[in-house]
């Protein structure tokens, strides 16, 4: 029987400052994500979903179960892709090659990713994913949607819900997105890509 748990962050609550403040992390992880975990555990009790993995629930459910499971998968991938001690400011190896091949250069990729995040109307997520053939694509997903629902393999995401940045950046979503590159752990993203 599945019982989901709030993930432990791989850094201290103030470990991502000044890009993301302790206060934002405490609300975002400790209140928002914890709320989704609690809701999902209550919603799946006694349903066929309680035997499934989180990703399977995201692919197969609708309504409140889809919203809460999607938000858990989205946030787990989001929080686990950051680091307090960034070792490299850009990907290397196969992922670097795939980015250059799909977007021309790493800088063009970052520009397009930020533009799609800034331009997403309302709440949602911008994602870098690989399609079935391994080609990289950037997609905008609204509310709790995740690229696995389109058959894509998600690699990297920026959360554009206001709760992700409003305490630190108020209405300046583009500034927030531009700053997030400083804390991306490219080792994590490369591992996700290698696992495809
Ligand atoms: Mn969020």
């Amino acid at each position: 029987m599945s019982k989901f748990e709030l993930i432990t962050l791989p850094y201290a609550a103030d470990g991502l400052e000044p890009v993301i403040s302790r206060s934002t992390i405490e609300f975002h992880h400790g209140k928002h994500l914890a709320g989704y975990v609690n809701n999902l555990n209550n919603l799946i009790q006694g349903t066929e979903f309680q035997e499934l993995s989180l990703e399977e629930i995201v692919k197969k459910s609708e309504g409140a179960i889809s919203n809460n499971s999607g938000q858990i998968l989205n946030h787990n991938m989001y929080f686990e892709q950051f680091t307090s001690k960034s070792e490299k400011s850009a990907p290397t190896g196969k992922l670097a090659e795939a980015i250059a091949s799909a977007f021309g250069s790493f800088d063009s990729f970052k520009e397009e990713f930020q533009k799609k995040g800034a331009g997403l109307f309302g709440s949602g997520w911008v994602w870098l994913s690989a399609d079935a053939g391994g080609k990289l694509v950037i997609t905008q997903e609204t509310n709790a949607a995740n690229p696995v629902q389109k058959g894509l393999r998600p690699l990297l995401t920026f959360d554009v819900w206001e709760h992700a940045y409003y305490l630190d950046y108020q209405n300046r979503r583009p500034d927030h997105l531009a700053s997030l590159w400083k804390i991306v752990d490219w080792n994590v993203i490369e591992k996700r890509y290698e696992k495809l």
Side-chain angles (χ1 to χ4, degrees), residues 28 71 75 125 159 161 163-164:
H28 201 180
Q71 284 294 74
H75 284 95
W125 303 77
D159 186 348
W161 283 59
H163 68 221

